[in-house]
Amino acid sequence: MFIKIKVQASAKHETVKKLKSDRYLINVKQPAERNLANSRVCQIMADILKVNKKAVRIISGHQNPSKIISVNIETLS
């Protein structure tokens, strides 16, 4: 399963807004350095989809606010 995400790092509040079934807008408190924001995004998506964090990985957009993540739905938490 592929999901498109728009991320805003260093936000004051963490929020998750579902735009469509495969699109999310996520604000995270972590800065966009040392992979902190990307790691938090993966954790948030794993919690939302109820899968292990290892089942969520960023396919595209590692250094970009627009990201595409892959979710291995066979790996349950």
Side-chain angles (χ1 to χ4, degrees), residues 1-5 7 24 26 35 37-60 62 67-77:
M1 166 193 305
F2 295 104
I3 299 174
K4 294 181 180 180
I5 298 175
V7 178
Y24 286 85
I26 300 177
N35 205 30
N38 287 341
S39 179
R40 181 64 184 141
V41 166
C42 289
Q43 181 63 53
I44 289 171
M45 290 308 298
D47 292 344
I48 289 172
L49 300 171
K50 296 179 177 53
V51 296
N52 192 328
K53 184 180 175 187
K54 293 179 181 179
V56 178
R57 63 188 193 107
I58 298 174
I59 299 294
S60 159
H62 293 278
K67 302 179 186 310
I68 298 175
I69 64 166
S70 170
V71 181
N72 184 0
I73 55 176
E74 296 173 0
T75 309
L76 299 175
S77 58

Side-chain angles (χ1 to χ4, degrees), residues 11-16 26-30 40 44:
K12 289 186 179 185
H13 304 285
E14 275 194 357
T15 59
V16 177
I26 300 177
N27 295 335
V28 294
K29 290 183 178 180
Q30 286 73 14
R40 181 64 184 141
I44 289 171

